[in-house]
Amino acid sequence: MSKGTIKKVAGPLVVAQGMRDANMFDVVRVSGQRLIGEIIEIHGDLASIQVYEETSGLGPGEPVESTGAPLSVELGPGLIGSIFDGIQRPLEDIMEATGTNLTRGVEIPSLKRDKLWHFVPAVSDGAEVEAGDVIGTVAETEIVVQKIMVPHGMKGRIRSISEGDYRVDDTIAILDGADGSKELTMLQKWPVRVGRPYKQKLSPDKPLVTGQRVIDTLFPIAKGGVAAVPGPFGSGKTVVQHQLAKWAEADIVVYIGCGERGNEMTDVLNEFPELKDPKTGKSLMERTVLIANTSDMPVAAREASIYVGITIAEYFRDMGYSVALMADSTSRWAEALREMSGRLEEMPGEEGYPAYLASRLAQFYERAGRVISLGKEGREGALSAIGAVSPPGGDISEPVSQATLRIVKVFWGLDANLAYRRHFPAINWLTSYSLYSLGKWFNENVNERWQELRTRMMRLLNDEAELDEIVKLVGMDALSAPDRLKLEAARSIREDYLHQDAFHEVDTYTDPHKQYLMMELVIHFYDMALGYLEKGASIEDIVKMPIREKIGRFKYIEQAKVDQEFEEILRSLNIELNHLLNKEEA
């Protein structure tokens, strides 16, 4: 264990001397207050340490002690429903110990050591096991069953294992391996900067169904995929992430507030326990891990929070769960990198960000994916990462947005103009994209016309953008009747299909079958109306047809009644169009 003394303090950066025996990324305790820090650079016997707590009052000559271990997270029962800070300190436990003003240097274990969990073995005495095998389960909440796995690097024969109530660090089984006996507990530790191993990575060919129409239909994300949600202040990033946390096809949600303003994080902490999980009716917190790391916490901890969150998410993926990771927002993390880089006097890149910004972002996002876990049975799990980006003034030409866009496959660009017009989700359909080819899955599992309808909707929206330019120059009267009909169809797509009310009990979630029916109605109306225009019906009469109101309100129809209502609207549409044509002929 290496011991040294402080030589220099510069904000969150402390330089210590006499640290020749220390290693990169070792956790250290700084000064008599035992502040927690991490070594990020070594030159001879000088170690540069980023300190994860306030450093005011520290001075040269105070002691620094290395723990000899990298920054690691504790993995085991007790994670779900917990609220941690950026270095996995349990905020509620610290508050109980110190009061509402969190003191520095507090040493409280991440997972409660006094709580008993009921362990149920999944293997019997004498079973041959290897790393990743499930040896038992713990019902962590009513929704989540945590699987206790053999730690990485271990294999052998179970000598004894028994059911009972245990603390996380109690011995639950004894494993006889080639290098002797090992006592297994429910607690694992894992270094946060190292991705957890798996057997095989699978191709991203299944969608993560979110129930948000603009996402599922136009810009879907794959299970195990990565997406970025950049947008200016007030464009709805947080509501989009809340909707995904509630409705996406994920068993576990890990929400990282890595440096957002305190009031935004407070909203999350207040809302998540009250949000009802629509699948189970319980609190959403019963399948959520929160990492709350606000702007007024030391910048270095913002960087750590990203790694802590994704390591916890990988752990649940290893159990075979589908995990959704929300990072809000990676811009604050990048700002922390910029500050530490400046204090280390490194050569700056664009706008002062470090030259290695893009590679750090890539290292984070590449840990997502759909994988087959270690172990004999090989469970399939998925980790989908969705990172919000907060570019200053909504300008996505800045370095963090550009570096993110080079890495992620899905870009949901939030638009301040759409938000100003109260069109939510404010995802701009002209600038957003998804590079995952999931049309085949939707064609096979929802309806064979899915991809065709999606393509036609996108074409109508693009045509509308071009026609809008003409309308601004010469007015609506200069357009032909088919072009006016095209504008009306595009308006129907925008207002009836893409606009979705997150706070309406029915419209908040739309399953893929209902999405298909809604697309079918809009495109069917356009095709039928185009045919009747050619037969002599007037565009003014078509635009004012009463059936359009029913098509617009179809999104508020409950799931059980959609097929019946769909048939009813199609019948009414034919009747009304025939009536129009008869009127014209008369």
Side-chain angles (χ1 to χ4, degrees), residues 387-456:
V389 186
S390 312
D395 174 22
I396 64 163
S397 64
E398 55 89 44
V400 183
S401 300
Q402 288 303 308
T404 305
L405 290 186
R406 286 199 293 273
I407 299 156
V408 301
K409 296 284 183 70
V410 178
F411 168 62
W412 298 320
L414 296 174
D415 191 319
N417 291 329
L418 285 174
Y420 184 71
R421 301 201 313 247
R422 291 289 176 267
H423 177 105
F424 292 107
I427 294 173
N428 188 320
W429 48 87
L430 299 174
T431 57
S432 304
Y433 60 81
S434 169
L435 301 179
Y436 293 114
S437 52
L438 300 166
K440 185 180 173 202
W441 187 94
F442 282 109
N443 279 0
E444 289 172 358
N445 292 276
V446 185
N447 189 283
E448 59 194 14
R449 294 195 63 216
W450 178 281
Q451 192 61 16
E452 176 201 335
L453 292 172
R454 178 201 173 274
T455 305
R456 292 196 58 198

Side-chain angles (χ1 to χ4, degrees), residues 256-291:
I256 311 167
C258 45
E260 283 306 286
R261 287 176 301 285
N263 59 341
E264 284 197 12
M265 205 58 227
T266 307
D267 283 349
V268 172
L269 297 178
N270 284 334
E271 283 175 25
F272 267 51
E274 290 177 11
L275 286 176
K276 284 278 180 283
D277 179 1
K279 299 177 188 74
T280 60
K282 308 275 187 234
S283 164
L284 193 62
M285 281 301 289
E286 293 203 11
R287 60 182 182 92
T288 302
V289 182
L290 283 179
I291 293 168

Side-chain angles (χ1 to χ4, degrees), residues 484-549:
R484 282 187 63 187
L485 182 62
K486 203 174 269 185
L487 282 181
E488 283 299 320
R491 186 165 74 91
S492 188
I493 293 168
R494 281 190 289 106
E495 295 178 4
D496 303 338
Y497 192 84
L498 299 182
H499 183 280
Q500 190 165 355
D501 185 350
F503 303 101
H504 188 281
E505 57 183 7
V506 175
D507 195 34
T508 183
Y509 175 85
T510 309
D511 84 336
H513 174 65
K514 186 176 174 185
Q515 290 186 38
Y516 157 71
L517 294 180
M518 288 177 72
M519 283 196 284
E520 188 71 79
L521 281 179
V522 173
I523 297 298
H524 188 71
F525 167 77
Y526 174 68
D527 288 344
M528 294 276 290
L530 201 59
Y532 275 78
L533 262 185
E534 290 166 3
K535 290 177 184 171
S538 95
I539 182 69
E540 283 79 11
D541 287 342
I542 287 174
V543 167
K544 293 173 187 164
M545 284 170 65
I547 193 65
R548 296 194 66 209
E549 177 77 13

Side-chain angles (χ1 to χ4, degrees), residues 9-192:
V9 180
L13 178 72
V14 168
V15 177
Q17 58 192 5
M19 303 289 286
R20 191 173 293 278
D21 299 334
N23 299 311
M24 276 289 284
F25 299 122
D26 273 3
V27 171
V28 294
R29 291 288 180 173
V30 179
S31 82
Q33 294 183 54
R34 294 182 62 77
L35 308 187
I36 192 166
E38 184 182 23
I39 296 174
I40 53 171
E41 198 174 81
I42 296 177
H43 291 293
D45 74 335
L46 292 179
S48 298
I49 299 160
Q50 64 176 358
V51 180
Y52 293 128
E53 300 181 74
E54 180 60 49
T55 57
S56 58
L58 297 191
E62 293 193 55
V64 174
E65 183 183 309
S66 168
T67 61
L71 182 65
S72 301
V73 287
E74 293 189 344
L75 303 169
L79 286 171
I80 298 289
S82 296
I83 301 167
F84 300 108
D85 75 353
I87 48 176
Q88 212 205 4
R89 291 181 303 184
L91 292 175
E92 288 178 287
D93 292 358
I94 292 175
M95 190 180 77
E96 284 171 19
T98 65
T100 49
N101 293 325
L102 305 186
T103 52
R104 297 190 288 177
V106 178
E107 295 187 48
I108 288 182
S110 302
L111 301 179
K112 287 184 170 69
R113 294 296 192 264
D114 55 354
K115 185 165 181 180
L116 291 171
W117 300 95
H118 188 71
F119 172 75
V120 180
V123 295
S124 50
D125 294 356
E128 291 285 345
V129 293
E130 58 183 64
D133 281 348
V134 174
I135 57 169
T137 58
V138 169
E140 193 166 359
T141 66
E142 288 185 45
I143 305 170
V144 177
V145 173
Q146 187 158 145
K147 297 167 186 171
I148 308 301
M149 298 169 287
V150 177
H152 182 55
M154 291 189 187
K155 64 185 296 188
R157 184 188 296 273
I158 297 283
R159 187 201 304 171
S160 67
I161 187 168
S162 56
E163 183 173 347
D165 294 333
Y166 298 96
R167 292 184 286 268
V168 286
D169 52 354
D170 288 343
T171 301
I172 53 165
I174 295 173
L175 180 73
D176 291 335
D179 51 354
S181 297
K182 294 241 174 51
E183 294 183 344
L184 301 184
T185 68
M186 293 189 276
L187 180 71
Q188 290 190 24
K189 288 197 171 183
W190 192 266
V192 297

Side-chain angles (χ1 to χ4, degrees), residues 319-330:
M319 296 179 200
Y321 287 123
S322 171
V323 186
L325 176 100
M326 314 288 165
D328 189 13
S329 80
T330 53

